[in-house]
Coordinates of all heavy atoms in Angstrom, one line a residue:
M68 N -19.2 20.6 12.0 CA -18.8 20.5 10.6 C -17.4 21.0 10.4 O -16.9 21.9 11.1 CB -19.7 21.4 9.7 CG -21.1 20.7 9.5 SD -22.1 21.7 8.3 CE -22.7 23.0 9.4
P69 N -16.7 20.4 9.4 CA -15.3 20.8 9.2 C -15.2 22.1 8.5 O -16.1 22.6 7.8 CB -14.8 19.7 8.3 CG -16.0 19.2 7.6 CD -17.1 19.3 8.6
I70 N -14.0 22.7 8.7 CA -13.7 24.0 8.0 C -12.9 23.7 6.8 O -11.9 23.0 6.8 CB -12.9 24.9 9.0 CG1 -13.8 25.2 10.2 CG2 -12.5 26.2 8.3 CD1 -13.0 26.0 11.3
Y71 N -13.3 24.3 5.7 CA -12.5 24.2 4.4 C -11.9 25.5 4.0 O -12.5 26.6 4.2 CB -13.4 23.6 3.3 CG -13.9 22.2 3.6 CD1 -15.2 22.0 4.1 CD2 -13.1 21.1 3.5 CE1 -15.6 20.7 4.4 CE2 -13.5 19.9 3.8 CZ -14.8 19.7 4.2 OH -15.2 18.4 4.5
E72 N -10.8 25.4 3.4 CA -10.1 26.6 3.0 C -10.2 26.8 1.5 O -10.0 25.8 0.7 CB -8.6 26.5 3.3 CG -7.8 27.8 3.3 CD -6.4 27.6 3.8 OE1 -5.7 26.7 3.3 OE2 -6.0 28.4 4.7
Y73 N -10.5 28.0 1.0 CA -10.7 28.3 -0.4 C -9.8 29.4 -0.8 O -9.4 30.3 0.1 CB -12.2 28.7 -0.7 CG -13.1 27.6 -0.4 CD1 -13.6 27.2 0.8 CD2 -13.6 26.8 -1.5 CE1 -14.5 26.2 1.1 CE2 -14.4 25.7 -1.3 CZ -14.9 25.4 0.0 OH -15.7 24.4 0.2
I74 N -9.4 29.4 -2.0 CA -8.6 30.5 -2.5 C -9.2 31.0 -3.9 O -9.5 30.2 -4.7 CB -7.1 30.1 -2.7 CG1 -6.3 31.3 -3.1 CG2 -6.9 29.0 -3.7 CD1 -4.8 31.2 -2.8
C75 N -9.4 32.3 -4.0 CA -9.9 32.9 -5.2 C -8.9 33.0 -6.2 O -7.8 33.6 -6.0 CB -10.5 34.3 -4.8 SG -11.2 35.1 -6.3
P76 N -9.2 32.5 -7.4 CA -8.2 32.5 -8.5 C -8.0 33.9 -9.1 O -7.1 34.2 -9.8 CB -8.8 31.6 -9.6 CG -10.2 31.6 -9.3 CD -10.4 31.8 -7.8
D77 N -9.0 34.8 -8.8 CA -9.0 36.1 -9.4 C -8.2 37.1 -8.5 O -7.3 37.8 -8.9 CB -10.4 36.6 -9.5 CG -10.5 37.6 -10.6 OD1 -10.1 37.3 -11.7 OD2 -11.0 38.7 -10.3
C78 N -8.6 37.2 -7.2 CA -7.9 38.2 -6.4 C -7.0 37.6 -5.3 O -6.5 38.2 -4.5 CB -9.0 39.1 -5.7 SG -10.0 38.2 -4.5
K79 N -6.9 36.2 -5.4 CA -6.0 35.5 -4.5 C -6.4 35.6 -3.0 O -5.6 35.3 -2.1 CB -4.6 35.9 -4.6 CG -4.1 36.0 -6.1 CD -4.1 34.6 -6.7 CE -3.6 34.7 -8.2 NZ -3.9 33.5 -9.0
T80 N -7.7 35.9 -2.8 CA -8.1 36.0 -1.4 C -8.3 34.6 -0.8 O -8.9 33.8 -1.5 CB -9.4 36.8 -1.3 OG1 -9.2 38.1 -1.7 CG2 -10.0 36.8 0.1
K81 N -7.8 34.4 0.3 CA -8.0 33.1 1.0 C -9.1 33.3 2.1 O -9.1 34.2 2.8 CB -6.7 32.7 1.7 CG -5.9 31.7 0.9 CD -4.8 31.1 1.8 CE -4.0 30.0 1.0 NZ -2.9 29.4 1.9
F82 N -10.0 32.3 2.1 CA -11.0 32.4 3.1 C -11.4 31.0 3.5 O -11.2 30.0 2.8 CB -12.2 33.2 2.6 CG -12.9 32.7 1.3 CD1 -14.0 32.0 1.4 CD2 -12.3 33.0 0.1 CE1 -14.6 31.5 0.2 CE2 -12.9 32.5 -1.1 CZ -14.0 31.8 -1.0
E83 N -12.1 30.9 4.6 CA -12.5 29.6 5.1 C -14.0 29.6 5.3 O -14.7 30.6 5.5 CB -11.9 29.4 6.5 CG -10.4 29.2 6.4 CD -9.7 29.2 7.8 OE1 -10.4 29.5 8.8 OE2 -8.5 28.9 7.9
L84 N -14.5 28.4 5.0 CA -16.0 28.1 5.1 C -16.2 26.9 5.9 O -15.5 25.9 5.8 CB -16.6 27.9 3.7 CG -17.0 29.2 2.9 CD1 -17.6 28.7 1.7 CD2 -17.9 30.1 3.7
I85 N -17.2 27.0 6.8 CA -17.7 25.8 7.5 C -18.9 25.2 6.7 O -19.9 25.9 6.5 CB -18.1 26.1 8.9 CG1 -16.9 26.7 9.7 CG2 -18.7 24.9 9.6 CD1 -17.3 27.2 11.1
R86 N -18.7 24.0 6.2 CA -19.8 23.4 5.4 C -19.7 21.8 5.6 O -18.6 21.3 6.0 CB -19.7 23.8 4.0 CG -18.3 23.6 3.3 CD -18.3 23.8 1.8 NE -19.2 24.8 1.3 CZ -19.2 25.3 0.1 NH1 -18.4 24.7 -0.8 NH2 -20.0 26.2 -0.3
P87 N -20.8 21.2 5.3 CA -20.7 19.7 5.4 C -19.8 19.0 4.5 O -19.5 19.6 3.4 CB -22.2 19.3 5.2 CG -22.8 20.5 4.5 CD -22.1 21.7 4.9
I88 N -19.3 17.9 4.8 CA -18.3 17.1 4.0 C -18.9 16.9 2.6 O -18.2 16.9 1.6 CB -18.0 15.8 4.7 CG1 -17.1 16.1 5.9 CG2 -17.2 14.9 3.7 CD1 -16.9 14.9 6.8
S89 N -20.2 16.7 2.5 CA -20.8 16.4 1.3 C -20.7 17.5 0.3 O -20.9 17.4 -0.9 CB -22.3 16.0 1.5 OG -23.0 17.0 2.1
R90 N -20.4 18.7 0.8 CA -20.3 19.9 -0.1 C -18.9 20.4 -0.2 O -18.7 21.5 -0.8 CB -21.3 21.0 0.4 CG -22.7 20.6 0.3 CD -23.6 21.8 0.7 NE -23.4 22.9 -0.2 CZ -23.8 24.2 0.1 NH1 -24.4 24.5 1.3 NH2 -23.6 25.2 -0.7
C91 N -17.9 19.7 0.3 CA -16.6 20.2 0.3 C -16.0 20.4 -1.1 O -15.1 21.1 -1.3 CB -15.7 19.3 1.2 SG -15.2 17.8 0.4
G92 N -16.5 19.7 -2.1 CA -16.0 19.8 -3.4 C -16.5 20.9 -4.2 O -16.1 21.2 -5.3
E93 N -17.5 21.6 -3.7 CA -18.2 22.7 -4.4 C -17.4 23.9 -4.3 O -16.6 24.1 -3.3 CB -19.6 22.9 -3.8 CG -20.5 21.7 -4.0 CD -21.9 22.0 -3.4 OE1 -22.2 23.2 -3.2 OE2 -22.6 21.1 -3.2
S94 N -17.5 24.8 -5.3 CA -16.8 26.1 -5.2 C -17.6 27.0 -4.3 O -18.8 26.8 -4.0 CB -16.7 26.7 -6.6 OG -18.0 26.8 -7.2
A95 N -16.9 28.0 -3.9 CA -17.5 29.0 -3.0 C -17.3 30.4 -3.5 O -16.4 30.7 -4.3 CB -16.9 28.9 -1.6
E96 N -18.2 31.3 -3.1 CA -18.1 32.6 -3.6 C -17.1 33.5 -2.8 O -17.1 33.5 -1.6 CB -19.5 33.3 -3.5 CG -19.6 34.6 -4.2 CD -21.0 35.3 -4.0 OE1 -21.3 35.8 -3.0 OE2 -21.8 35.2 -5.0
C97 N -16.2 34.1 -3.6 CA -15.2 34.9 -2.9 C -15.9 36.1 -2.2 O -16.7 36.8 -2.8 CB -14.3 35.4 -4.0 SG -13.1 36.7 -3.4
P98 N -15.6 36.3 -1.0 CA -16.2 37.4 -0.2 C -15.8 38.8 -0.7 O -16.4 39.8 -0.4 CB -15.7 37.2 1.2 CG -14.4 36.4 1.1 CD -14.6 35.6 -0.2
K99 N -14.7 38.8 -1.5 CA -14.1 40.1 -1.9 C -14.7 40.5 -3.3 O -15.2 41.6 -3.5 CB -12.6 40.0 -1.9 CG -11.9 41.3 -1.8 CD -10.4 41.1 -1.6 CE -9.6 42.4 -1.6 NZ -8.2 42.1 -1.4
C100 N -14.5 39.6 -4.3 CA -14.9 40.0 -5.6 C -16.1 39.2 -6.2 O -16.5 39.4 -7.3 CB -13.7 39.8 -6.6 SG -13.2 38.1 -6.8
K101 N -16.6 38.3 -5.3 CA -17.8 37.5 -5.7 C -17.6 36.5 -6.8 O -18.5 36.0 -7.3 CB -19.0 38.4 -6.1 CG -19.3 39.5 -5.0 CD -19.6 38.9 -3.7 CE -20.0 39.9 -2.6 NZ -20.2 39.4 -1.3
H102 N -16.3 36.3 -7.2 CA -16.1 35.2 -8.2 C -16.1 33.8 -7.5 O -16.0 33.8 -6.2 CB -14.7 35.5 -8.8 CG -14.7 36.6 -9.8 ND1 -13.7 36.9 -10.6 CD2 -15.7 37.5 -10.1 CE1 -14.0 37.9 -11.4 NE2 -15.2 38.3 -11.1
Q103 N -16.2 32.8 -8.3 CA -16.2 31.5 -7.7 C -14.8 31.0 -7.4 O -13.9 31.0 -8.2 CB -16.8 30.5 -8.7 CG -18.3 30.7 -8.9 CD -19.1 30.5 -7.6 OE1 -19.0 29.4 -7.0 NE2 -19.8 31.5 -7.1
A104 N -14.6 30.6 -6.2 CA -13.3 30.2 -5.7 C -13.3 28.7 -5.4 O -14.2 28.2 -4.9 CB -12.9 31.0 -4.5
G105 N -12.2 28.1 -5.8 CA -12.0 26.6 -5.6 C -11.4 26.4 -4.3 O -10.8 27.3 -3.6
R106 N -11.4 25.1 -3.9 CA -10.8 24.8 -2.6 C -9.3 24.9 -2.7 O -8.7 24.4 -3.7 CB -11.2 23.4 -2.2 CG -11.8 23.3 -0.8 CD -12.2 21.9 -0.6 NE -11.3 21.2 0.4 CZ -11.2 19.9 0.6 NH1 -12.0 19.1 -0.1 NH2 -10.4 19.4 1.4
A107 N -8.7 25.4 -1.7 CA -7.2 25.5 -1.6 C -6.6 24.1 -1.3 O -7.2 23.4 -0.5 CB -6.8 26.5 -0.6
L108 N -5.6 23.8 -2.0 CA -4.9 22.6 -1.7 C -3.9 22.9 -0.6 O -2.9 23.5 -0.7 CB -4.1 22.1 -2.9 CG -4.9 21.2 -3.9 CD1 -4.0 20.8 -5.1 CD2 -5.4 20.0 -3.3
S109 N -4.2 22.4 0.6 CA -3.3 22.6 1.7 C -3.3 21.4 2.6 O -4.1 20.5 2.4 CB -3.8 23.8 2.5 OG -5.0 23.5 3.2
S110 N -2.5 21.4 3.6 CA -2.4 20.3 4.5 C -3.5 20.4 5.6 O -3.6 19.6 6.5 CB -1.0 20.2 5.1 OG -0.8 21.4 5.8
F111 N -4.3 21.5 5.5 CA -5.2 21.8 6.5 C -6.2 20.6 6.8 O -6.4 20.3 8.0 CB -6.0 23.0 6.1 CG -7.0 23.5 7.2 CD1 -6.5 24.3 8.2 CD2 -8.3 23.1 7.2 CE1 -7.3 24.8 9.2 CE2 -9.1 23.6 8.2 CZ -8.6 24.4 9.2
C112 N -6.7 20.0 5.8 CA -7.8 19.0 6.0 C -7.2 17.7 6.6 O -8.0 16.9 7.2 CB -8.5 18.7 4.7 SG -7.5 17.9 3.5
C113 N -5.9 17.5 6.5 CA -5.4 16.2 7.0 C -4.4 16.4 8.2 O -3.6 15.6 8.5 CB -4.7 15.5 5.9 SG -5.8 14.6 4.7
R114 N -4.5 17.6 8.8 CA -3.6 17.9 9.9 C -4.0 17.0 11.0 O -5.1 17.0 11.6 CB -3.8 19.4 10.3 CG -2.7 19.8 11.3 CD -2.8 21.3 11.5 NE -4.1 21.7 11.9 CZ -4.6 22.9 11.9 NH1 -3.8 23.9 11.5 NH2 -5.8 23.2 12.4
S115 N -3.1 16.1 11.4 CA -3.4 15.1 12.4 C -2.5 15.2 13.6 O -2.6 14.4 14.5 CB -3.2 13.7 11.8 OG -1.9 13.5 11.4
G116 N -1.8 16.3 13.7 CA -0.9 16.5 14.8 C 0.5 16.0 14.6 O 1.4 16.2 15.4
N117 N 0.7 15.3 13.5 CA 2.0 14.8 13.1 C 2.6 15.7 12.1 O 2.8 15.3 10.9 CB 2.0 13.4 12.7 CG 3.3 12.7 12.8 OD1 4.3 13.3 13.1 ND2 3.3 11.4 12.6
E118 N 2.9 17.0 12.4 CA 3.3 18.0 11.4 C 4.6 17.6 10.7 O 4.8 18.0 9.5 CB 3.5 19.3 12.2 CG 2.3 19.8 12.9 CD 1.2 20.4 12.1 OE1 1.5 20.6 10.9 OE2 0.1 20.6 12.6
S119 N 5.5 16.9 11.3 CA 6.8 16.6 10.7 C 6.6 15.7 9.4 O 7.6 15.6 8.7 CB 7.7 16.0 11.7 OG 7.2 14.8 12.1
R120 N 5.5 15.0 9.3 CA 5.4 14.1 8.2 C 4.5 14.6 7.1 O 4.1 13.8 6.2 CB 4.9 12.7 8.7 CG 5.9 12.0 9.6 CD 5.5 10.6 9.9 NE 5.4 9.8 8.7 CZ 5.0 8.6 8.6 NH1 4.6 8.0 9.7 NH2 5.0 7.9 7.5
V121 N 4.2 15.9 7.1 CA 3.3 16.4 6.0 C 4.2 16.5 4.7 O 5.3 17.0 4.7 CB 2.8 17.8 6.4 CG1 2.1 18.5 5.2 CG2 1.9 17.7 7.6
T122 N 3.6 15.9 3.7 CA 4.3 15.9 2.4 C 3.9 17.1 1.5 O 2.8 17.7 1.8 CB 4.0 14.6 1.6 OG1 2.6 14.4 1.5 CG2 4.6 13.4 2.4
A123 N 4.6 17.4 0.5 CA 4.3 18.5 -0.4 C 3.0 18.1 -1.2 O 2.8 17.0 -1.6 CB 5.5 18.8 -1.3
P124 N 2.2 19.2 -1.5 CA 1.1 18.9 -2.3 C 1.4 18.5 -3.7 O 2.4 18.9 -4.3 CB 0.4 20.3 -2.4 CG 1.0 21.1 -1.3 CD 2.4 20.6 -1.1
I125 N 0.6 17.6 -4.3 CA 0.8 17.2 -5.7 C 0.0 18.0 -6.6 O -1.3 18.0 -6.5 CB 0.5 15.7 -5.8 CG1 1.5 14.9 -4.9 CG2 0.6 15.2 -7.3 CD1 1.1 13.4 -4.9
A126 N 0.6 18.7 -7.5 CA -0.2 19.5 -8.4 C -1.2 18.7 -9.3 O -0.8 17.7 -9.9 CB 0.8 20.3 -9.4
G127 N -2.4 19.1 -9.3 CA -3.4 18.4 -10.1 C -4.0 17.2 -9.4 O -4.9 16.6 -9.9
G128 N -3.5 16.8 -8.3 CA -4.0 15.7 -7.6 C -5.3 16.0 -6.9 O -5.7 17.1 -6.7
G129 N -6.1 14.9 -6.7 CA -7.4 15.1 -6.1 C -7.4 15.2 -4.6 O -8.3 15.6 -4.0
G130 N -6.3 14.7 -4.0 CA -6.2 14.7 -2.6 C -5.6 15.9 -1.9 O -5.4 16.9 -2.6
C131 N -5.4 15.8 -0.7 CA -4.8 16.9 0.0 C -3.3 16.7 0.2 O -2.8 15.6 -0.1 CB -5.5 17.1 1.4 SG -5.2 15.8 2.5
A132 N -2.6 17.7 0.8 CA -1.2 17.5 1.0 C -0.8 16.4 1.9 O 0.2 15.8 1.8 CB -0.6 18.8 1.5
G133 N -1.7 16.2 2.9 CA -1.4 15.2 3.9 C -1.5 13.8 3.4 O -0.7 12.9 3.8
C134 N -2.4 13.5 2.4 CA -2.5 12.2 2.0 C -1.9 11.9 0.6 O -1.9 10.8 0.1 CB -4.0 11.8 1.9 SG -5.0 12.8 0.8
G135 N -1.3 13.0 0.0 CA -0.6 12.8 -1.3 C -1.5 12.3 -2.4 O -1.0 11.7 -3.4
G136 N -2.7 12.6 -2.4 CA -3.6 12.2 -3.5 C -4.2 10.8 -3.5 O -4.9 10.5 -4.3
G137 N -3.7 10.1 -2.4 CA -4.3 8.8 -2.3 C -5.6 8.8 -1.5 O -6.2 9.8 -1.3
S138 N -5.9 7.7 -0.9 CA -7.1 7.6 -0.1 C -6.9 8.3 1.2 O -5.8 8.1 1.8 CB -7.6 6.2 0.1 OG -6.5 5.4 0.7
C139 N -7.8 9.0 1.7 CA -7.7 9.8 2.9 C -9.0 9.9 3.6 O -9.9 10.5 3.0 CB -7.0 11.1 2.6 SG -6.9 12.2 4.1
S140 N -9.2 9.4 4.7 CA -10.5 9.5 5.4 C -10.8 10.9 5.8 O -12.0 11.2 6.0 CB -10.5 8.6 6.6 OG -9.5 8.9 7.5
S141 N -9.8 11.8 5.9 CA -10.1 13.1 6.4 C -10.6 14.0 5.3 O -11.5 14.8 5.5 CB -8.8 13.7 6.9 OG -8.3 13.0 8.0
C142 N -10.1 13.9 4.0 CA -10.5 14.8 3.0 C -11.5 14.1 2.0 O -12.0 14.7 1.1 CB -9.3 15.4 2.2 SG -8.4 14.2 1.2
G143 N -11.7 12.8 2.1 CA -12.6 12.1 1.2 C -12.0 11.7 -0.1 O -12.6 11.2 -0.9
G144 N -10.7 12.1 -0.3 CA -10.1 11.8 -1.6 C -9.5 10.4 -1.5 O -8.9 9.9 -2.3
Ligands
ZN8 ZN1 -11.9 37.1 -5.3

């Protein structure tokens, strides 16, 4: 199963969870303050080994940094 990165909006704690793709859009409980944390927007999910072509994340976009909010087989966006 893939690893997803989450960031807590309250205490800014970053943590990773291994969960099925079907649940990647769900929030996760912060291990520190127990608040609900959303998925972090990072290039992590689309890291394909071509680091030099990673684009900047689009604020509010549904996709990841690697796919720029478009269709992406890696993140499901
Ligand atoms: Zn927290």
Side-chain angles (χ1 to χ4, degrees):
M68 281 188 282
I70 299 174
Y71 295 103
E72 194 174 52
Y73 294 81
I74 184 164
C75 177
D77 205 54
C78 67
K79 310 300 182 192
T80 296
K81 262 189 174 182
F82 57 99
E83 292 171 348
L84 275 184
I85 298 175
R86 51 169 40 172
I88 290 173
S89 58
R90 294 186 61 197
C91 74
E93 296 179 20
S94 58
E96 189 179 78
C97 172
K99 203 171 178 180
C100 68
K101 307 300 181 188
H102 285 186
Q103 290 299 302
R106 232 178 108 195
L108 275 180
S109 73
S110 59
F111 186 84
C112 67
C113 283
R114 191 171 56 192
S115 61
N117 199 352
E118 302 282 348
S119 62
R120 293 192 61 186
V121 173
T122 55
I125 297 175
C131 66
C134 61
S138 59
C139 175
S140 59
S141 295
C142 69

